[in-house]
Amino acid sequence: MTEPRPRYLLNFADETALKSALDRLPSDKLEIVDAFLPFGDEEIAERIGAGRNRLNLVTLVGGLCGAGFIFALQAYSFLVAYPFDSGGRPSLSWPAFLIPTFEIGVLAAVLAAAIAMFRANGLPRYHHPLFEVPRFERTTQDELALLVRSLDGSYPGGRDALLSFGATSVSEVWE
Amino acid sequence: MSADKHTLVDRLSRARQSGAKGPSRRTALKLMGATAAFSSLAGCVPPREEIVPYVDMPEGMVPGTPLFYASVSPTTGCGVLVESHDGRPTKIEGNPDHPMSLGATDAASQADVLDLYDPLRTEAVHRDGDLTSWGDFVASFRTRVRAHREQSGQGLAILTGAVRSLTLAGQLDSLSETMPEAAIYRHEPISDAATRAGAARSFGEPALPFPHLDRAEIVLFLDANLFAEPTTGVRHARDFAARRRARGGAGDFNRAYAVESETTTTGASCDHRLALPPSGIDRFAHALAARFGIGPEAGMDSDPADRFLDQVAADLDGHRGRGAVVAGRGLPAEIHDVVNRINVALGNAGTTISYLPPVDPGLDTLPGLAQLQDDAFAGRIDSLVILDCDPIYSAPDPERMRAALEAVDVTVHHGLYLDATAKACDWQIAARHFLEDWSDVQAADGTVAICQPLTRPLKGGRSVHELVALMAGDAVTAPHDLVRRTWQNRFEQEGADGGSFQERWRKVLHDGLVPGTGFTPIAPELAPAPPASSDASMPPKTDGLEIALSPDPFLWDGRRAANAWLQELPRPVTRLVWQNAMFLSPHDGAALDVSDGDMVRVKTNGATIELPATVQPGQAVGAASLHLGFGREIAGQVQNAQGVSAFSLRPDTDTWRLTGAKISKTGDHRPLLRTQHDFDTPDARTSEIVSLADYRALGPKEREEPPESLYPERLDDEGYAWAMVIDQSACIGCGACVAACQAENNVPVVGPEEIARNRDMHWLRVDVHQTPDETPETRFQPVPCMQCEKAPCEPVCPVEASVHDHEGLNDQVYNRCIGTRFCQSNCPYKVRRFNFFDYAGDPIQEAEQTPTEPSLLQALKNPDVTVRGRGVMEKCTYCVQRISAARRDAKVDGRALADGEIKTACQAVCPTQAITFGDKNDPGSAVSQLREEPHEYALFGHLGTRPRTTYLKRVVNAAPDLASDGHDGSEESG
Amino acid sequence: MPQIFSPKADGLARLTIWGVAIAVVVALGVTFLLMRSPYATAVGLVRDQPVPFSHKHHVGGLGLDCRYCHASVETSAFAGVPETEVCMTCHSQLWTDADVLEPVRESWATGAPIRWQRVNSLPDYAYFDHSVHVAKGVPCEACHGRVDQMPLTRKAEPLTMSFCVDCHRDPAKRLRPKSAVFAMGWSTKKSRAELGHYLMKANGIQTETLTDCSTCHR
Amino acid sequence: MTTAADSSLHAAEPGSAPVVADRGLSRDVSDVVLERPTSRAWLIWALASLALTMVFAYAILHLFIAGVGIWGVNTSVVWGLALTNYVWWIGIGNAGTLISSMLYLTRQDWRSSINRFAEAMTLFAALIAGLFPILHLGRPWLFAWLVPYPTTMGLPPNFNSPLVWDFFAIAVYLIVSLTFWYIGAVPDFATLRDRARLRRQQVFYGILALGWRGSAGHWRRYERAYILIAALATPLVVSVHSVVGLDFAASVAPGWNEPIYPPYFVVGAMYSGFAMVVVLAAIIRSAFNLHAYITERHFDLMGKMMLFGALVLGYSYAMESFIGWYSAEDMHLSIVVYKATGDYWWVFWSLIACNVVIPQALWFPAARRRILPLVVIAILINIGMWLERYGIIVFTLSHGHMPSGRADYMPTVWDWALTIGSLGFFLLLFLVLVRLVPIVSMHEMRKLLRGRVQ
């Protein structure tokens, strides 16, 4: 463990303020750890390089696994477990099997997407240092925030200097 | 299903169901055989079940395997074989050796076994309604009889119905000998008095004509519903159908005509039917007689009737000695006389018609109810013993009858039920059901069959023979000994050719009938014709509606009114259940402004009844028909609240027609209880017919290929492939198959409330199709499960409760069924039946039932068929239990099943052998051959369901000159 | 803003999620096993009988044939439970004073049947026929186990539907020559598979229809 | 915590649409949940629906004790109101997810105002719909046999059966809808967590929010997952009602055996669903004063959707009759004639009036933009769609191939108790929900509105 270094939460009143701060923050001194928004914004995420994911692939794989499993189960049921004659249908009546296959495929894909998303986001996470910061609660309502970390111990000028980037408030965040 | 039988839910439902119905009294059935008693335990330990073996097993018994005993039904006189499971009689089949049965029975006989277990039957001996004992009765009655005997029987009177037992007849004879002053009365509410009297006019002695329909080429039924006769109907139907089999492009067909008021099974089975009111039938008989020089020249008053008459007369004339004119019991004696004379003139008498002496000569010689009432009021009767009849119910004037009983010092009633008469008597003695009793019963042709008990009396009843022996002061009182004595004496008189008595007796019991007991027909030598008064020969046309009474084909004179199977068995043609109704023609219905279910009030002879009307196409204009046998009170309940007794309308017990009755609409409406509402035939697919000429022109079968299927064939030519063919030419719509199916397959009764909600449970139904004409052609179509090869019910069942087996059966697995009812919604034939409530708990006749005390009715259940619980779908299985039993037997023996070895219940009972069942993979089987018939067709074959049950089209031998009438429907074919 | 949840909450949340997931799997597994265990199938069930009848003694010790008492096993669906008379054939001579046999003597004297408690029970909607099984070479032992080693009769096999169907699909492995159907602990030196195959053929057993629902349910 | 300075940012008067401040939005929507203003109207509605829920519960209890015989179903018409209600509810249950996912995929931003409660409507309707097939069973306690699990019987369910397809479709639909709805609500739960001042509310919403922090990375993955689920849910919705349509279309019964059924059921579902959304939106909007978020434009657009539905349904009805004639199959034609002139002619003509004729009023903008006429039309559509499902079941079952098997159907008091009771239960669930969960998706509204604010 390295020694604790303060991190700062910079709250912004709106998107514009946050984006201009992103332009101006000195990247040699400050590392942008994360941004917090009350709504999703692809551009900000891209700029701070957050949230890249392989959800598409996970969903596809999940869906195919689910569909494959249920199709195999149906085929096994009718061909091996108890073959019977239902109104003259063939044992491997695949057109009929497609419906549960589709349904379970969708279910598995959706669950895969949801679970993968929560896992990748590290949720659930009920206790988090950011929740200590009073101003943080605004980020789920009407403010945006950047979490920055000084690259060398402490940022020169501390909170006041950070305010100059257009933040409405700056809070220190301790691990 | 027993697995669910004891769940709380089901018990609650049973309690709910039985809330308002039925008595709660029950008796544990004490069977000697293995019985299982259940009790439920919590947890996973299986419920406790007991195995109770015999202490000493009877000889010849194999536990778990049914035995058959020969016996005879006292009502019909037809020999039966009774199936007994570990001492429990469960099913009645016809006795193939008995000439009046030939292996079949009528519908009502199928239900006899239900009466045996009927909880409503009276028990032991009651005095003024309080339970006492046989000993008390004997002690009290013996002194009384002794007193009568000392006065050579003065003051002692006995009332019986028709006596069909030779032993009983002999007992009564010897009683009359020892007590010449004792009075014996006869009361048979449904009597053949006019028929006998007609024969007496013609031939000088009472006789009953017995047409041999297998010999007759031209048959005319004059108001004669011959196939519904309990004593002879089965044989007549068999003979009739023998002349109506179209096979292999040929057909030795009779041509049948009917002139009748109400559409009956007999009339509907004929090629031509003319609907006339009773007076019109008389006129028709006279007019026909005139054609053969009997009586004054006469004609009919309408063109169709004249043409009909011409054709009938021409046909009869062209087939002298090969025709038969049959008159029904409702016609007056003079018409019977006229008909007898026609048959003699045509040479039919003695060839196609035999004249048999009546089974009970007493009906003609002994006094009847009216005399009894007079004697009672005159104080000439001190003690009256009533043997199994209910005169308060069936007398023309019930109140007078009741008063007559009150005028008698001591009255004793011996019968199965605590009916109105029993209640009015001082002593009530439970009779024995014939399955509990020894007796001997004579059939209409004279053949005597021995009635032997299959169980001990379940209700502590006493044999009629024992009671009469007591009165006669006979030293022998055991019924077995009495019956045996009768035959020992008789065999001794006949000489010892047949070996020792013991051997002969054993054989008689085994075969079920005494050989050589058939009647010798009387010689049809005409007595001089009585001078015909002009008004008698030409009855005047009456104003207003004539009422034609007839017995209900199932309840008959009301003796079976307590039988829920029969109450709920759809009546032929009308498909009414649980009630009677007044049948009106559409013309008369419109005139009275009544439609189906409108209540009408009938007033005549000082009596008034109210009952619903039904407008029946095919009913004669001017005739209102009413069935007797309903509305009987038993055990304090009117047996069917919806049914009404019409006995009180009669001025005397031999009257069948009422004129001058006031019929008016009451304004009330009560929806009719029937199991079919739509009788129209919308297209030719349901019940096509073909004329005999067309049939003969048909080439060899060109199989109508069912629509292509996308699915591969799963059923192959290996092994058995069960199939059924139903010949609609033979079907007379009698309903015996439905009753047999009910008995064989534990089909529950649902009761009138459920019928009103369109919930019936019969696995097999006889659909009635009527052409939408003014004079409709009626066709019957028994509809069991079609056992489709591509069954629509199967793929929709989510749990494979409906699934196919390798022999082509469409299995319904009750224990797997969860009750989605998808199968029935997808069944084009609607042959499936759903247990909306716990019907198997028998809501009609049973109240709450505890697992530790099984009800008597449970003993009736066929142990080879699962009893279905609530929420389960059920249907015809082709009697899979019979298939399975036969297959297992064959497997144990290491052989293949033979054709005809398996008979389904409906097939076995069918009087006309309209149903054939067998293996269609066996090209030699009867069913395979019928499937190749050119007139074989599949019901809704165009749907691609590929039914295994198929039909032979009804072939009609229409008279060319009448064909244009539309009666024969030949235009509709194709 | 103070933390709403303590640091422990995250652990708890993970524990809950995994706990629930594992619990569901375990519950399903336990149910699966339980339904096949003696707890549900009652294998090994012994019931209190009016007479502590020992098959071990009568079959294993004395060598009585099954059919001596279960007389209808070859002719009827029901194998038959001996009438009191059958017991008395021997026990009017042997052990005439034994206390345990008092109910038998009493039954014989009074005519009241002995009420045995059923051990091997099928639901009423499952129709089993002893005669055809015996005729086709299915040994008693296949369903009843080694009764010759049972001092008190107990349920030997689960008698669940899968138990029945298992054999109906492939009876060969259980079939015996007819002479050995009633034998206990019989074994053969021949190849089991070959013998089974031979018996299937010889007895004309076609498995095709044996798994039809109507074979057992009607 | 909050200060005057905070709230001054982008402050605007609530209700002065379309300019709505972020802060105002969060407050307006959250307060409904957090402050829970209990109006008298809410109480009356809640009590009334509670009473109906009791009726529902009692009707079910009695059903289980006495059996399905308490209904009017009979040997011919083996299905009755239970399945009518099932199809109707599942139809309503389709609209929520359809609105949410399909409009999301087609970037119809206006959906943000209505998708949350439409999804909730879906959940509850599907839940209630799912109850009916179970209630309708003769032996409901054996319902589990539809599930493929290893039993000691060794029997799988019959995968050929439309009822098994139904089971899969509805179970999957319920789970997916719940997932979709919940994921959509997680950021809003975070807002509620952060706005809540009562400990129990903080804990309650805190747990539901899963510790959502609104990080840019969260959002990116979140939105990816959301669009994936939306893309999967759309065909799922279509499949669900298609499968319900197959319950009928896969049969041989006249009037059911028609390939048009699956698409026609999907459109019918969307149609009745939109109608229900209109009714609920109108209630919510006035009850919680959300005029700013659910505007006339929303009603206008939904009105157009309903009009579209009316036209497609009208076409479907016409095609059904046309095919009946064109197929030259006499039974098929017979059922077409029977519908219009038989025992249930009034059902047929009422449904035509409610579903096709009356909605033509929506051609007029005034009918779409004014709440009262629109709500009246929407209610009529819901009644009409119920009648349509009723007709589908009774027309065919009371007029099958077999003339002898034709019988009428008359619902009993227990049929109606279950029908009305299910409505009450639905309302109750909804009334409770609106007090627990934000009824408008705040984070989506924020995203939608931010452009306008600046």
Side-chain angles (χ1 to χ4, degrees), chain A residues 13 20-21 26 33 40 43 46 50 55 57 61 104 108 118-120 122 126 131 154-156 158 164 172-173:
Chain A
S20 75
V33 180
E43 187 194 336
E46 188 58 44
L55 280 174
L57 183 66
V61 171
I104 296 296
F118 282 121
R119 265 197 75 92
Y126 289 113
F131 290 144
S154 62
Y155 187 72
S164 67
E172 282 186 14
V173 183

Side-chain angles (χ1 to χ4, degrees), chain C residues 1-6 17 32 35-36 41 160-163 165 169, chain D residues 1 150-155 193-194 197 199 202-207:
Chain C
M1 185 180 80
Q3 293 274 9
I4 297 171
F5 299 99
S6 73
I17 291 171
F32 178 86
M35 290 316 287
R36 286 153 183 79
T41 61
T160 56
M161 178 166 157
S162 2
F163 171 81
V165 169
R169 284 211 179 114
Chain D
M1 270 290 168
T151 68
T152 54
M153 294 171 289
L155 280 172
R193 173 195 67 201
D194 293 344
R197 291 298 162 255
R199 172 76 186 157
Q202 287 176 336
V203 171
F204 180 71
Y205 293 109
I207 289 173

Side-chain angles (χ1 to χ4, degrees), chain B residues 348-497:
Chain B
N348 298 334
T351 55
T352 59
I353 300 178
S354 301
Y355 295 87
L356 301 176
V359 169
D360 181 8
L363 286 172
D364 289 305
T365 55
L366 293 173
L369 220 48
Q371 183 66 46
L372 181 138
Q373 290 171 2
D374 292 344
D375 290 348
F377 290 129
R380 288 192 287 269
I381 303 176
D382 296 325
S383 310
L384 172 62
V385 179
I386 300 175
L387 299 178
D388 203 17
C389 58
D390 187 4
I392 290 188
Y393 165 70
S394 54
D397 186 347
E399 286 319 307
R400 187 173 152 83
M401 186 67 223
R402 195 184 296 277
L405 290 185
E406 273 163 21
V408 175
D409 190 19
V410 170
T411 44
V412 179
H413 182 267
H414 177 259
L416 289 172
Y417 296 99
L418 192 63
D419 50 30
T421 307
K423 275 166 87 178
C425 288
D426 303 318
W427 290 90
Q428 295 88 28
I429 298 170
R432 283 186 187 173
H433 189 273
F434 77 89
L435 295 173
E436 303 168 332
D437 202 3
W438 283 99
S439 193
D440 44 4
V441 183
Q442 194 161 28
D445 74 330
T447 304
V448 179
I450 304 297
C451 177
Q452 52 174 332
L454 276 92
T455 171
R456 21 174 245 189
L458 300 175
K459 295 283 190 175
R462 290 286 158 174
S463 171
V464 66
H465 301 301
E466 186 175 3
L467 182 60
V468 177
L470 179 75
M471 284 190 274
D474 199 331
V476 182
T477 56
H480 174 234
D481 298 342
L482 289 165
V483 175
R484 204 165 173 275
R485 185 177 67 187
T486 307
W487 292 95
Q488 193 155 16
N489 292 343
R490 181 136 170 193
F491 289 167
E492 276 165 14
Q493 280 166 21
E494 284 172 8
D497 328 335

Side-chain angles (χ1 to χ4, degrees), chain D residues 375-407:
Chain D
V375 166
V376 167
I377 290 173
I379 289 174
L380 283 176
I381 288 172
N382 271 318
I383 293 172
M385 288 308 293
W386 190 90
L387 286 173
E388 183 205 286
R389 276 64 177 260
Y390 179 73
I392 284 172
I393 287 167
V394 298
F395 291 152
T396 288
L397 288 180
S398 63
H399 194 78
H401 284 101
M402 209 72 200
S404 63
R406 290 177 189 160

Side-chain angles (χ1 to χ4, degrees), chain B residues 4 9 13 678 685 757-759 765 767 795-798 800 815 817-822 824 826 836-837 870, chain D residues 64-66 69 71 73-75 78-79 136 138-139 145 153 156-158 160-161 247 251-252 330 402-404:
Chain B
D4 308 314
V9 166
S13 88
D678 192 340
R685 279 172 183 142
R757 294 185 194 124
N758 292 320
R759 297 168 181 171
R765 56 174 200 263
D767 277 352
V796 298
C797 177
E800 301 114 17
N815 42 307
C817 177
I818 60 174
T820 68
R821 312 192 283 292
F822 205 161
Q824 168 75 340
N826 206 22
F836 291 97
F837 287 123
R870 194 190 90 195
Chain D
F64 284 170
I65 291 173
W71 293 342
V73 282
N74 59 52
T75 300
V78 285
W79 293 348
H136 128 108
R139 305 201 292 170
W145 286 350
M153 294 171 289
N158 183 1
N160 288 313
S161 169
D247 283 350
S251 77
V252 298
D330 38 7
M402 209 72 200
S404 63

Side-chain angles (χ1 to χ4, degrees), chain B residues 1 4 7 9-10 12-14 16 575 675-683 685-686 754 757-761 765 767-769 781 783 792 794-800 802 814-830 832-839 869-873 939-940 942-943 945, chain D residues 62-80 82-83 133 135-146 151 153 155-166 246-248 250-254 256-257 329-331 334 396-409 412:
Chain B
M1 209 149 312
D4 308 314
T7 61
V9 166
D10 284 47
L12 284 170
S13 88
R14 194 175 293 124
R16 193 204 67 80
R575 315 258 349 244
T675 56
Q676 180 177 344
H677 301 279
D678 192 340
F679 293 83
D680 284 351
T681 313
D683 60 38
R685 279 172 183 142
T686 41
E754 289 293 281
R757 294 185 194 124
N758 292 320
R759 297 168 181 171
D760 58 314
M761 289 304 283
R765 56 174 200 263
D767 277 352
V768 175
H769 300 291
Q781 183 169 43
V783 185
E794 288 170 6
V796 298
C797 177
V799 292
E800 301 114 17
S802 173
Y814 312 121
N815 42 307
R816 180 71 176 169
C817 177
I818 60 174
T820 68
R821 312 192 283 292
F822 205 161
C823 47
Q824 168 75 340
S825 87
N826 206 22
C827 174
Y829 312 98
K830 293 282 174 277
R832 296 174 154 260
R833 295 294 178 267
F834 188 69
N835 289 275
F836 291 97
F837 287 123
D838 184 24
Y839 298 131
R870 194 190 90 195
V872 170
M873 190 62 84
L939 189 57
F940 301 133
H942 67 290
L943 295 176
T945 52
Chain D
H62 182 61
L63 174 72
F64 284 170
I65 291 173
V68 290
I70 60 171
W71 293 342
V73 282
N74 59 52
T75 300
S76 298
V77 189
V78 285
W79 293 348
L83 287 197
L135 295 182
H136 128 108
L137 294 180
R139 305 201 292 170
W141 53 92
L142 299 177
F143 164 70
W145 286 350
L146 263 69
T151 68
M153 294 171 289
L155 280 172
N158 183 1
F159 295 105
N160 288 313
S161 169
L163 284 183
V164 171
W165 306 342
D166 256 358
L246 286 174
D247 283 350
F248 301 98
S251 77
V252 298
W256 284 359
N257 183 11
E329 217 276 90
D330 38 7
M331 210 40 235
S334 164
T396 288
L397 288 180
S398 63
H399 194 78
H401 284 101
M402 209 72 200
S404 63
R406 290 177 189 160
D408 300 345
Y409 168 73
T412 64

